[in-house]
Amino acid sequence: MLATKEKKSTPAIEHPSGDARFKLVDRALKRLHFQQDALIEVLHVAQESFGYLDEGLLIYVARQLKLPPSWVFGVATFYHFFSLEPKGEHQCIVCMGTACYVKGAGDIVACLEKEYNLKAGETTADGKFSLTEARCLGSCGLAPILILDNQTLGKETPASAAARVREALQGQAGKNGRGARPKVAADEEEFAEGETL
């Protein structure tokens, strides 16, 4: 007679905070076998789960991967796609690479800063919109480009960028899957006149 072994179930170990989002991070850590060279992938999962990487989350990842916290912090601050601050509901990243800058990316940033009363790297007080600059997004043929809510938009002008952000904030962008081309308002013509193509 064969003795049947009962499988002992191991109780799930929850993060002390009880925050269920840590389960997503733990799942990624296990899937990647706690390998230290999977740090960037784990940070991506952590940011997707929490929206940004706060100090406590970075320390948690460092402990789980047995890495120095300074190493994890260094990686998180090196790459522009990681954020240590909460971001707005809508995010706009303007490429400031050489090609984009020469073709007016600085004017786009200035226009958005003026319209939403913030500086690049900040979020509006109501938490609706974040503006970020990136060194180069690697699509120089479409310069100047921006990424608005994960949608890459090329050959933008200050006026068209402002209109697209306005549409996003009003919930109109991307309804057709590509984003409607905005109409340029008369008061925005001043930005269009100074643009270079």
Side-chain angles (χ1 to χ4, degrees):
M1 179 175 164
L2 294 172
T4 57
K5 290 184 179 177
E6 281 188 33
K7 280 191 174 179
K8 291 184 179 179
S9 63
T10 52
I13 300 172
E14 292 185 9
H15 187 269
S17 70
D19 190 328
R21 294 175 292 182
F22 277 103
K23 288 182 181 177
L24 299 172
V25 178
D26 290 341
R27 202 174 299 149
L29 287 163
K30 288 177 188 171
R31 180 173 45 83
L32 298 166
H33 306 288
F34 294 87
Q35 293 177 353
Q36 294 177 336
D37 59 359
L39 173 60
I40 290 177
E41 190 168 346
V42 172
L43 289 177
H44 273 293
V45 172
Q47 182 163 285
E48 286 174 17
S49 302
F50 288 84
Y52 69 104
L53 303 171
D54 70 7
E55 184 179 337
L57 186 55
L58 291 175
I59 290 172
Y60 180 75
V61 169
R63 285 185 182 160
Q64 295 301 314
L65 293 178
K66 297 182 177 28
L67 287 170
S70 59
W71 182 287
V72 175
F73 183 80
V75 170
T77 55
F78 180 79
Y79 294 102
H80 78 273
F81 44 76
F82 292 128
S83 174
L84 306 185
E85 301 287 332
K87 291 292 182 185
E89 186 179 325
H90 298 278
Q91 297 179 37
C92 181
I93 303 168
V94 180
C95 179
M96 295 296 278
T98 304
C100 290
Y101 187 80
V102 167
K103 292 192 171 185
D107 294 336
I108 292 173
V109 171
C111 174
L112 295 175
E113 285 179 338
K114 181 180 176 185
E115 184 157 336
Y116 295 98
N117 193 28
L118 51 67
K119 294 288 180 192
E122 295 179 350
T123 300
T124 54
D126 62 1
K128 294 283 185 189
F129 177 64
S130 293
L131 177 63
T132 309
E133 294 176 340
R135 291 184 185 184
C136 183
L137 297 174
S139 297
C140 303
L142 298 174
I145 68 164
L146 56 95
I147 298 176
L148 179 60
D149 293 340
N150 296 321
Q151 183 181 12
T152 302
L153 306 169
K155 299 188 186 269
E156 291 294 317
T157 65
S160 68
R164 286 179 179 269
V165 169
R166 241 179 270 123
E167 287 178 355
L169 292 174
Q170 294 169 357
Q172 297 174 355
K175 284 187 176 178
N176 62 3
R178 298 172 51 201
R181 190 78 187 166
K183 292 172 81 177
V184 178
D187 63 319
E188 296 166 340
E189 290 297 326
E190 64 183 279
F191 293 107
E193 289 174 7
E195 71 186 21
T196 56
L197 294 175

